[in-house]
Amino acid sequence: MSATPPIAELSDRARDIFRRVVDGYLHDGQPVGSKTLAQAGLNLSPASIRGVLAQLEAMGLLAAPHTSAGRMPTERGLRLFVDGMMQATEPSAEERAQIEARAANRGPVEEALAATTAALSGLSACAGLVMVPKREAVLRSIGFVPLGPGTNGPQALAVLVAEDGGVENRVVDLPPGVSASALVEAGNYMTATLGGLTLAEARTRIERELGEGQSALDVAARTLVERGLAVWSEDGARRSVLIVRGQGRLLDDAAAADLERVRELLDDLEGKQEVAALLGAASAGDATRIFIGAENKLFALSGSSVIAKPFRGLDGRVVGVVGVIGPTRLNYARIVPIVDFTAATLARLMG
């Protein structure tokens, strides 16, 4: 495909007609015909309008889905519109308040991120998403709860409580003959020794103390401590956290005639590793990135658009990316500023 022509190559008449076609299509999802344009106040005959539409179609900016059915913008035309003609509208006070209220949600950071993403989804009528690096929990306490026999012998539930209030559980295999008192001893030791440390710091301290024989733990409790810490340390190698909210908003009335496209999009969203890679590409620089349809290989089949914006912490490093995924027929002028504002709000949250 050849490069999209610059907006300067269009005459004033062609630019006006092109903008009206795009605005009409983004508003109701229907091709715009010459009769509709003539009735919109253009001081041109339908024949003249049809001539301009034909020129825009020849340039690859418009397409006619059916004979005499009017024109709609191509992905190339949408790119020209977004880059050279779109006039963004700032979020309203109510929209800003909704986003800020969700970001202020008390509790674990991931809950606030999920709530903010849900708000973004609701305001944009798209699927909202946010990606952040896996944050190492700062430990408050660790305990073990016996579960009884498992496939490989007795098991226990290792319960980690983080300083931010988050609670996570992991199942660990117990050494043979471990007693209830050993579970308590191991939990007490880990809480007293590791409280206030990250997992990486906790591993270093445990390895040093056990290696130097500084611990008074018996063999069973020592084995429990090592196994419990090993289970939690696996989290440090996890990929980035990707939260997607509002997939159901992609199944609106306008999508009823194009269910195959929506199915393709929902399938794409299931491949979270690929979506995370796309957002990773959007994290370069500070600008809002807009991927339209086939411009991104992942969403080429579903014909979807992605609007994504990185956000930074106090040290200036990128700490995440937030955005929306929806059909190419998006209200870009309204949604881009909402994504920008959400990114700024999450920057304050993560800072």
Side-chain angles (χ1 to χ4, degrees):
M1 181 181 294
S2 59
T4 301
I7 195 70
E9 290 186 12
L10 300 181
S11 65
D12 291 343
R13 173 184 296 181
R15 189 180 302 122
D16 185 28
I17 290 177
F18 175 70
R19 180 184 57 78
R20 290 171 184 263
V21 171
V22 176
D23 285 341
Y25 174 73
L26 296 183
H27 182 265
D28 58 22
Q30 299 300 317
V32 178
S34 57
K35 182 177 180 181
T36 300
L37 292 168
Q39 294 172 344
L42 286 174
N43 190 25
L44 295 171
S45 68
S48 297
I49 294 173
R50 285 194 294 272
V52 175
L53 292 175
Q55 293 173 8
L56 293 169
E57 185 174 356
M59 297 175 73
L61 301 179
L62 299 181
H66 306 290
T67 304
S68 303
R71 297 328 196 267
M72 57 187 286
T74 61
E75 292 178 358
R76 190 181 181 198
L78 286 174
R79 170 54 61 190
L80 177 67
F81 174 79
V82 167
D83 289 346
M85 303 182 71
M86 182 179 75
Q87 295 181 337
T89 56
E90 291 302 312
S92 67
E94 181 180 352
E95 289 169 338
R96 294 194 300 269
Q98 285 188 45
I99 294 169
E100 290 176 330
R102 296 295 187 93
N105 181 44
R106 294 186 177 182
V109 171
E110 285 188 21
E111 290 186 9
L113 290 172
T116 307
T117 306
L120 176 60
S121 171
L123 292 172
S124 65
C126 298
L129 52 87
V130 65
M131 184 183 74
V132 294
K134 180 67 179 179
R135 290 161 63 95
E136 276 202 288
V138 176
L139 310 179
R140 177 186 297 170
S141 65
I142 297 177
F144 296 92
V145 180
L147 293 177
T151 304
N152 300 316
Q155 295 181 316
L157 193 67
V159 182
L160 179 148
V161 180
E163 290 285 0
D164 66 1
V167 179
E168 295 191 42
N169 304 312
R170 298 288 186 276
V171 175
V172 297
D173 294 324
L174 299 179
V178 69
S179 64
S181 62
L183 291 174
V184 174
E185 182 181 5
N188 289 342
Y189 172 80
M190 295 182 79
T191 297
T193 306
L194 309 180
L197 302 180
T198 65
L199 287 168
E201 294 167 342
R203 189 179 188 90
T204 299
R205 177 172 295 185
I206 286 292
E207 289 175 347
R208 184 181 69 246
E209 292 198 1
L210 295 182
E212 296 175 355
Q214 298 178 13
S215 169
L217 292 171
D218 63 25
V219 175
R222 173 174 175 159
T223 302
L224 257 178
V225 168
E226 291 173 332
R227 291 188 181 185
L229 189 60
V231 169
W232 288 110
S233 295
E234 291 173 1
D235 287 355
R238 284 185 175 181
R239 295 185 178 94
S240 298
V241 175
L242 175 64
I243 299 171
V244 181
R245 293 290 183 272
Q247 294 96 316
R249 297 185 184 279
L250 301 173
L251 297 170
D252 59 10
D253 293 339
D258 199 3
L259 290 179
E260 181 60 23
R261 182 196 63 77
V262 177
R263 186 191 66 78
E264 292 279 3
L265 176 54
L266 293 175
D267 287 346
D268 291 338
L269 291 178
E270 289 299 314
K272 289 192 172 184
Q273 185 176 348
E274 290 78 11
V275 177
L278 169 63
L279 294 183
S283 67
D286 295 314
T288 300
R289 298 288 299 277
I290 302 174
F291 303 93
I292 300 175
E295 291 179 352
N296 180 266
K297 183 170 60 176
L298 175 60
F299 296 110
L301 292 179
S302 63
S304 305
S305 286
V306 179
I307 301 173
K309 171 82 171 183
F311 52 95
R312 299 176 180 270
L314 294 177
D315 59 0
R317 292 184 299 114
V318 172
V319 293
V321 182
V322 66
V324 299
I325 299 176
T328 54
R329 187 182 66 82
L330 292 178
N331 187 340
Y332 296 93
R334 175 176 173 271
I335 294 176
V336 169
I338 291 177
V339 170
D340 289 348
F341 182 79
T342 304
T345 302
L346 292 181
R348 293 193 295 272
L349 171 68
M350 300 294 289

